[in-house]
Amino acid sequence: MSSFTPHTSDEVESMLKFMGLTSVEQLYDTIPIALQLRRSLDLPEALSEVEVIDELAAYGKKNRNASIDLVCFAGGGSYDHDIATVTSTLGLRGEFVTAYTPYQPEVAQGVLQAIFEFQTMVSRISGLAITNASLYDGGSALVEAINLACAKTRRSKVVLSEGVNPNWRGVASTFAEGPGHELVTAKVDQEGRTIWPESDSTVAAYVVGYPNFLGFIEDIAAARKLATDSGALLIVAYDPIAISLLKSPGELGADIAIAEGQPLGIPLSYGGPYLGLFSVTMDLVRLLPGRLVGETVDTEDRTSYVTTLRAREQDIRREKASSNVCTNQTLMAVWAAIQMSWWGKEGFYEVGRSSLSSRVYLENRLIEEGLLDRRSPTPTLREFPVRFNKSASDVVEAMVGEGFLAGVALEGANSISNFDGSLLIALTEKRTRSQIDSYVKSLKEVAK
Amino acid sequence: MSTLKEAPGGRASSSPLMGGEVEPTIFEFSHESRRTGAIRNSRIEQVDPKDFLPGDYLRTKKVNLPEVSERDLVAHFMRLTHRQYAVDLGSYPLGSCTMKYNPKLADAVATNPNLSGVHPQTPPSAAQGWIELCVELERYLTEITGMAAATLAPAAGAQGELTGLLIMKAYHKNRGNNKSTILIPDSAHGTNPASVTLAGYKVVTVPSDSRGLVDLEKLRALVNDDVAGIMLTNPNTVGLFEKDIAEIAKAIHDVDGLLYYDGANLNAIVGVARPGDMGFDIVHSNLHKTFATPHGGGGPGSGPVAVVDRLTQFLPGPYPIVVDGVGSWIMPEKSIGRVHSFYGNAVVYARALAFMKALGAEGLKEMSEYAVLNANYLKAKIAPYYPAAYDETCMHEFVVTAAGLKKKYGVRALDVAKTLLDRGYHAPTVYFPLIVEEALMIEPTETESKATLDCLAEILIDIAIEASNEDSSEALKHGPTRTPVSRVDEARAARVLVTTMDAKG
Ligand SMILES: Cc1ncc(COP(=O)(O)O)c(C=O)c1O
């Protein structure tokens, strides 16, 4: 790629001359010869822009895309919502895309203010006063929540409902290995509700899904009471879209609310970049991981924004920091802020209601077609498990042939006791009656 | 003020158009019952939520999101862009962050719906392209770093560090060794010690010597059986190559410790030297630095971790493989487990692969060579006014000290940085690394032209001259003035904590 580095050979020569050098290699004299590669990298030669785009597009052709040729009924932590044109158009502006962390607030008011607005919107959804500028994803938000709870309570045991996203629980157990936190899983019963253990004063936090991974709206009040009785914190892992219709985690007594923010305007992207949402009560602000933007004034008393309570962060606290996060997912937070503003109060509600309405419609159709016995006794909003005579992974595989991503097979790493082999189906406002009708028709063929 | 005309280096004015006015928040444009977007008509009867959701959990008031027109929404965010400096506007010599130009071709890749529109729960049979892409990128990264295999899952450098340290831990555990400390030089980035603690190890700090390098003798004295490994950045954070690395590696390996390479500074040596050949066992790369994926105002990044052969069994999963032309995701035998909700920041690594393909083997080497050339050139140009912290050929970045300016004229590194903002450039990293007093850490990157470097140098020199002049030095302590806002009151932000609209009194 000829234009990536702007140097012409006469410029290179004059720069070297200025330093009293004759070749670029001399600049590497501090690297012992034995450690130098002294051969070409065994990699392909340069391609032109169009060739690169073609090669990557060729990979794309070997995928089935959820919006075009694989109509998506899968959720499990990632949802196929419509994304407004303004979100991608504004979200791809170079000023947002090619800046870095706002270390110099005087020239970073754009990003800082967008984060401030994002923090406000997420706090209104989570119902908790403090929201950070983002974490990597839902899984990393869970890890940080566990670490925060253990730091706060000086305890090291955390009880997680089996109804918390199994991938996130996997991430949590990987990172619990470091500090040596003990993670205990509380199984869910046949109706998808967590069977909590007795209260326990050695527990740092209880983690519950809302709605849980299976889509069920569990008894959060019971989890709150258990946490209170144990002197522990309550961590609520919520689906932000569900909160358009449901009470916020904060209203239900969450100390920490975490979520995967992808449904708020972020493309499916084969799983990333996504957006870890992280909110806490004011009490916990000094233990908050990641960046936090606050309002202030400049020397002329003009409203300004700046990253604040910086003394929590790794660059200042170093080995005493409770989190190591530096680069986060700010651009995705900006996308979410734009998408939430575009939906607005009414639109956000309608996205939730439409998802719910489609879930009700699909559930009824499945019952009509004899694919489902009855509506589940535990309420669901936009996602629910169904058991077929065939294994869910076989159903998913066969449905790909019919042009559908049928759902998430609750098998292997995604397995949940009592629901092993079921198919987890998710709805969004993007699914239409005709898509759902065709889906049911294909399912009937495939799952019989 | 600089005598150079506007053209050289094309300095960005930080406040074009309306950027000088305070921008109201989006909430202040809000008006009850105003609508922006209409959602799709699904042709399904809309239910009343209270008929299907439990009453105790039903919300009584809608979430108070802004109610603005699309026209106001667009104007608001566009005005925010006018209050934001970025690489797309001009030079951004923020040391350690490698703020190089991000080629636009990667945007075309990132927005390809056959990549960005794929659901992560898609079965491998319908996501073969993504799996193959991952495997090809892994091949680029292992060749560049001299490693055997890599995971692409870590979402940024810091997550890569922690992933790498857990791999280290799994290795020692597997050998029945219970080691408890990790060595880190005093010049290390803050994420390194923070990651060590989160991995359950204790930090032992190794002092730097007068050369700005790891003090080999002191290091040897600190090495014992309890040492699980060392974390190093090479070139290190003062921009110098740790030339004793082979001896360091030997000392660590002698006690069965492992060497972790923080790839934040890989941009200096691609195609020239490889961490694997230096003796490192675990290497993370910051694709958002070296491989030109945009920084997004603070993220997303991507921090793949590559390892030597004997550590591949511990890599996180799912790990992509292609056997007989068929791709799938597997869990390595003794995997440390999952580190990301799915497979990492996939679209970010697709961008990085596009970049590497565009540059090719030679272009990647040239990238590093010119990064080093630019840094040394700028360093030499400003040397009479800004003494380098260490007098040695630097790699892709260098650290100068404003200690002299501070002592003589009371002008600090911070003042130099703020003044640079006023003159149309982003500031260098200041006050890092901690071992240099009044540090200014400058990383011009390879994408800046000689003209831009000349202009940057001239402005930096102007600032030093102004600092030395009583008539002008005072003004430097109060800048910037041409930026959208002047110096902000950071203490007040922490004292009167307002982090949402709802916290305003
Ligand atoms: C030397 C060094 N190490 C580690 C990191 C952390 O990387 P990231 O921000 O991608 O988490 C940085 C980033 O600024 C760095 O400069």
Side-chain angles (χ1 to χ4, degrees):
Chain A
M1 194 166 115
S2 55
S3 66
F4 184 66
T5 46
H7 305 66
T8 62
S9 51
D10 59 314
E11 281 173 338
V12 172
E13 211 176 298
S14 88
M15 290 166 81
L16 288 169
K17 202 166 147 204
F18 180 80
M19 295 182 278
L21 300 175
T22 52
S23 78
V24 173
E25 285 76 64
Q26 287 172 296
L27 293 167
Y28 286 111
D29 282 351
T30 59
I31 305 186
I33 298 278
L35 298 182
Q36 294 193 15
L37 184 59
R38 310 197 83 72
R39 66 161 170 86
S40 296
L41 285 171
D42 181 16
L43 294 174
E45 59 184 38
L47 298 177
S48 67
E49 157 161 343
V50 281
E51 291 165 314
V52 171
I53 293 171
D54 283 353
E55 286 204 1
L56 272 294
Y59 281 136
K61 283 214 184 90
K62 297 187 191 174
N63 295 326
R64 304 281 301 273
N65 162 356
S67 12
I68 300 169
D69 52 15
L70 203 59
V71 179
C72 182
F73 287 81
S78 173
Y79 300 86
D80 184 30
H81 288 278
D82 281 313
I83 297 173
T85 308
V86 289
T87 302
S88 49
T89 303
L90 293 169
L92 284 169
R93 287 282 305 189
E95 298 88 340
F96 290 135
V97 173
T98 72
Y100 191 39
T101 302
Y103 293 123
Q104 297 292 341
E106 297 83 2
V107 293
Q109 289 298 303
V111 165
L112 285 162
Q113 186 171 337
I115 296 173
F116 180 82
E117 294 174 3
F118 164 82
Q119 290 174 176
T120 302
M121 294 180 212
V122 176
S123 273
R124 287 180 181 180
I125 290 174
S126 66
L128 291 175
I130 300 289
T131 296
N132 76 7
S134 74
L135 294 169
Y136 307 130
D137 59 0
S140 69
L142 176 59
V143 172
E144 296 284 4
I146 289 170
N147 290 348
L148 191 167
C150 291
K152 173 73 184 174
T153 59
R154 298 178 188 278
R155 300 175 184 174
S156 65
K157 183 159 129 193
V158 172
V159 180
L160 296 102
S161 158
E162 198 188 12
V164 171
N165 188 316
N167 285 356
W168 303 9
R169 283 189 280 122
V171 175
S173 87
T174 302
F175 289 115
E177 191 64 29
H181 296 149
E182 181 194 352
L183 305 187
V184 179
T185 307
K187 300 236 182 256
V188 295
D189 64 18
Q190 282 168 346
E191 297 187 349
R193 300 175 200 257
T194 312
I195 309 165
W196 295 109
E198 297 289 296
S199 73
D200 174 352
S201 62
T202 67
V203 170
Y206 293 88
V207 191
V208 64
Y210 178 58
N212 70 20
F213 180 71
L214 298 160
F216 297 123
I217 300 166
E218 291 202 50
D219 186 352
I220 305 297
R224 175 64 264 178
K225 179 165 187 308
L226 178 61
T228 305
D229 291 349
S230 309
L233 301 186
L234 177 64
I235 301 171
V236 174
Y238 64 101
D239 170 0
I241 297 298
I243 308 304
S244 61
L245 306 178
L246 298 178
K247 282 184 180 160
S248 70
E251 211 175 334
L252 299 173
D255 297 293
I256 306 175
I258 56 170
E260 174 50 71
Q262 177 276 335
L264 304 173
I266 315 302
L268 294 169
S269 307
Y270 203 47
Y274 281 3
L275 174 63
L277 305 183
F278 198 92
S279 306
V280 298
T281 58
M282 186 55 91
D283 278 1
L284 298 174
V285 67
R286 285 182 195 273
L287 293 170
L288 185 78
R291 305 202 197 283
L292 179 66
V293 172
E295 191 191 88
T296 185
V297 292
D298 73 354
T299 56
E300 290 168 42
D301 215 29
R302 291 178 292 199
T303 301
S304 316
Y305 303 91
V306 66
T307 52
T308 193
L309 301 187
R310 293 268 296 119
R312 299 166 292 115
E313 290 186 52
Q314 44 74 27
D315 52 336
I316 297 173
R317 273 184 85 74
R318 300 178 71 84
E319 67 266 24
K320 294 199 184 66
S322 56
S323 166
N324 66 343
V325 66
C326 178
T327 293
N328 56 21
Q329 305 281 126
T330 295
L331 184 65
M332 297 7 270
V334 173
W335 278 54
I338 298 169
Q339 179 71 30
M340 286 188 275
S341 305
W342 186 84
W343 277 330
K345 191 178 188 173
E346 205 56 41
F348 185 55
Y349 172 80
E350 287 175 6
V351 167
R353 189 180 56 180
S354 176
S355 305
L356 169 67
S357 303
S358 295
R359 188 274 292 166
V360 171
Y361 178 75
L362 172 59
E363 215 174 29
N364 287 341
R365 295 282 294 116
L366 293 174
I367 292 170
E368 276 165 35
E369 299 293 342
L371 288 161
L372 184 65
D373 296 343
R374 53 164 190 154
R375 181 161 286 155
S376 108
T378 316
T380 68
L381 199 154
R382 55 114 133 226
E383 197 162 16
F384 62 105
V386 180
R387 193 188 301 278
F388 300 107
N389 292 330
K390 271 192 191 150
S391 83
S393 52
D394 289 346
V395 172
V396 169
E397 212 47 73
M399 286 290 279
V400 166
E402 304 284 314
F404 293 101
L405 182 54
V408 177
L410 300 180
E411 292 169 19
N414 277 327
S415 176
I416 309 254
S417 53
N418 287 315
F419 292 86
D420 188 57
S422 292
L423 181 70
L424 184 63
I425 303 174
L427 279 309
T428 68
E429 84 292 359
K430 197 169 166 182
R431 296 287 78 85
T432 61
R433 176 190 288 260
S434 68
Q435 287 174 333
I436 295 174
D437 289 342
S438 325
Y439 173 74
V440 172
K441 194 163 160 238
S442 295
L443 257 187
K444 214 177 158 189
E445 290 293 308
V446 161
K448 66 168 181 266
Chain B
M1 275 281 187
S2 163
T3 54
L4 284 173
K5 301 215 175 62
E6 287 302 318
R11 278 171 280 161
S13 162
S14 301
S15 50
L17 302 175
M18 303 301 288
E21 307 245 319
V22 168
E23 172 66 12
T25 64
I26 188 83
F27 305 97
E28 289 156 88
F29 295 105
S30 188
H31 192 280
E32 206 190 315
S33 82
R34 188 183 279 145
R35 288 294 305 258
T36 303
I39 68 163
R40 187 190 291 273
N41 181 348
S42 66
R43 313 273 163 210
I44 288 168
E45 188 196 339
Q46 296 300 291
V47 301
D48 186 341
K50 72 173 177 311
D51 296 338
F52 291 90
L53 298 175
D56 290 353
Y57 290 89
L58 209 56
R59 121 183 329 274
T60 47
K61 283 215 289 238
K62 289 174 185 161
V63 178
N64 190 15
L65 293 179
E67 302 181 89
V68 296
S69 67
E70 181 167 319
R71 196 267 171 282
D72 284 348
L73 171 65
V74 169
H76 169 67
F77 281 98
M78 284 302 294
R79 286 191 299 265
L80 290 186
T81 68
H82 290 170
R83 296 165 69 73
Q84 180 65 42
Y85 192 86
V87 172
D88 272 3
L89 282 167
S91 184
Y92 208 127
L94 187 68
S96 208
C97 301
T98 313
M99 301 300 292
K100 59 174 76 178
Y101 172 66
N102 312 127
K104 297 295 171 196
L105 70 91
D107 290 0
V109 171
T111 53
N112 178 334
N114 289 328
L115 295 173
S116 67
V118 180
H119 192 285
Q121 301 275 13
T122 305
S125 63
Q128 288 292 299
W130 262 117
I131 296 174
E132 287 179 26
L133 187 158
C134 291
V135 170
E136 187 178 22
L137 177 58
E138 181 189 8
R139 158 93 182 88
Y140 272 80
L141 291 171
T142 52
E143 168 64 5
I144 287 168
T145 55
M147 294 281 130
T151 170
L152 306 178
Q159 205 182 29
E161 292 170 19
L162 188 47
T163 299
L165 290 168
L166 291 176
I167 290 172
M168 205 182 265
K169 199 167 194 171
Y171 165 83
H172 291 307
K173 213 169 154 184
N174 191 49
R175 291 169 68 84
N177 290 332
N178 195 9
K179 291 163 173 273
S180 65
T181 59
I182 301 272
L183 302 180
I184 286 191
D186 54 5
S187 59
H189 190 263
T191 51
N192 292 186
S195 298
V196 168
T197 302
L198 289 170
Y201 285 112
K202 275 201 299 293
V203 173
V204 173
T205 305
V206 187
S208 303
D209 61 19
S210 59
R211 302 170 300 167
L213 304 179
V214 168
D215 189 319
L216 191 56
E217 283 322 305
K218 293 206 173 117
L219 172 105
R220 285 196 173 119
L222 290 170
V223 172
N224 56 44
D225 281 337
D226 213 21
V227 171
I230 187 169
M231 290 182 93
L232 288 175
T233 317
N234 196 15
N236 64 18
T237 62
V238 297
L240 302 180
F241 192 85
E242 296 280 0
K243 38 184 141 205
D244 299 329
I245 185 61
E247 288 75 31
I248 295 173
K250 183 166 184 317
I252 300 293
H253 284 150
D254 278 351
V255 294
D256 194 23
L258 297 177
L259 279 81
Y260 184 91
Y261 182 90
D262 174 343
N265 292 346
L266 186 65
N267 204 45
I269 58 166
V270 175
V272 175
R274 308 191 305 171
D277 301 336
M278 299 172 203
F280 285 95
D281 304 289
I282 308 172
V283 177
H284 89 249
S285 310
N286 302 62
L287 303 187
H288 46 299
K289 299 182 180 182
T290 313
F291 303 111
T293 71
H295 283 75
S302 178
V305 172
V307 296
V308 293
D309 204 31
R310 65 191 163 135
L311 298 178
T312 56
Q313 57 185 324
F314 304 109
L315 281 174
Y319 173 80
I321 55 164
V322 177
V323 178
D324 297 333
V326 180
S328 61
W329 292 100
I330 59 155
M331 259 308 176
E333 202 187 328
K334 292 179 179 153
S335 175
I336 60 162
R338 202 177 246 292
V339 300
H340 190 271
S341 296
F342 294 106
Y343 311 112
N345 283 340
V347 166
V348 177
Y349 52 69
R351 281 176 178 270
L353 179 60
F355 173 78
M356 294 193 212
K357 281 174 176 283
L359 266 67
E362 273 179 45
L364 286 166
K365 183 176 181 198
E366 197 176 86
M367 157 190 106
S368 285
E369 288 176 340
Y370 288 166
V372 173
L373 175 69
N374 277 4
N376 278 287
Y377 178 70
L378 186 58
K379 174 168 163 267
K381 283 226 124 181
I382 65 171
Y385 298 87
Y386 297 91
Y390 302 97
D391 189 21
E392 172 70 279
T393 307
C394 69
M395 293 282 106
H396 66 305
E397 67 189 356
F398 60 99
V399 179
V400 299
T401 172
L405 291 181
K406 182 180 171 194
K407 198 161 158 224
K408 281 190 260 170
Y409 317 115
V411 172
R412 299 170 299 157
L414 185 76
D415 301 321
V416 175
K418 297 297 181 197
T419 309
L420 206 53
L421 304 177
D422 239 354
R423 314 262 160 116
Y425 284 116
H426 199 276
T429 294
V430 285
Y431 302 106
F432 176 73
L434 307 178
I435 57 170
V436 177
E437 203 192 330
E438 292 296 318
L440 284 156
M441 183 189 217
I442 305 178
E443 181 179 13
T445 84
E446 68 280 9
T447 58
E448 303 315 295
S449 67
K450 176 173 178 294
T452 299
L453 301 179
D454 287 338
C455 189
L456 247 178
E458 184 164 341
I459 291 169
L460 280 166
I461 291 168
D462 280 349
I463 295 171
I465 293 171
E466 286 170 38
S468 66
N469 183 333
E470 237 177 273
D471 295 336
S472 50
S473 71
E474 202 48 34
L476 299 181
K477 297 172 200 165
H478 304 289
T481 57
R482 297 171 64 228
T483 47
V485 297
S486 57
R487 269 188 215 195
V488 305
D489 189 344
E490 296 188 21
R492 175 184 148 134
R495 205 175 54 242
V496 191
L497 196 64
V498 176
T499 70
T500 70
M501 285 300 286
D502 303 319
K504 282 182 181 248

